[in-house]
Amino acid sequence: MSTIGRTVGVLRAGAQILRRRTQQISVRKAGGGPHIEAQYRQPPQLTKRQQFQAELLSGAMWFWILWHTWHDSDAILGHFPWPDTSAWTDEELGIPPDDE
């Protein structure tokens, strides 16, 4: 009895699929803006607006990096003074003594 129920379910689903095929399928391009087709092994085609936005964003990024490097260099270089390397002895550096 259960196999007949399964068969009826499969046939009903198949009939629905066949009915949908007869309906016309519409193609929808989301966004409504210009649609750029992808090209194989080609660089993307950018609009002038996209180019301007990219340059503006990268300019703002570099301004932020350089501004903070100049005004808050301790964030990169550290908060402690650099050691005076000329005051180190050969023994501290692990250099063996000269035996002449």
Side-chain angles (χ1 to χ4, degrees), residues 42-79:
Q42 296 292 325
Q45 299 172 355
L46 300 177
T47 62
K48 288 183 181 181
R49 182 176 182 198
Q50 289 172 330
Q51 183 72 27
F52 176 76
Q53 288 174 343
E55 289 181 2
L56 182 69
L57 186 62
S58 63
M61 176 198 68
W62 278 111
F63 174 77
W64 188 87
I65 290 172
L66 295 174
W67 175 270
H68 287 283
T69 301
W70 182 260
H71 290 282
D72 190 22
S73 59
D74 288 342
I76 297 172
L77 303 175
H79 301 283

Side-chain angles (χ1 to χ4, degrees), residues 83-94:
D84 183 17
T85 56
S86 63
W88 293 345
T89 63
D90 288 344
E91 185 179 354
E92 289 174 336
L93 295 174

Side-chain angles (χ1 to χ4, degrees), residues 2-24:
S2 65
T3 57
I4 295 173
R6 285 185 203 158
T7 306
V8 171
V10 169
L11 291 176
R12 189 177 301 151
Q16 288 177 353
I17 291 172
L18 288 176
R19 274 189 244 132
R20 285 187 202 154
R21 275 190 157 173
T22 59
Q23 297 173 353
Q24 193 169 21

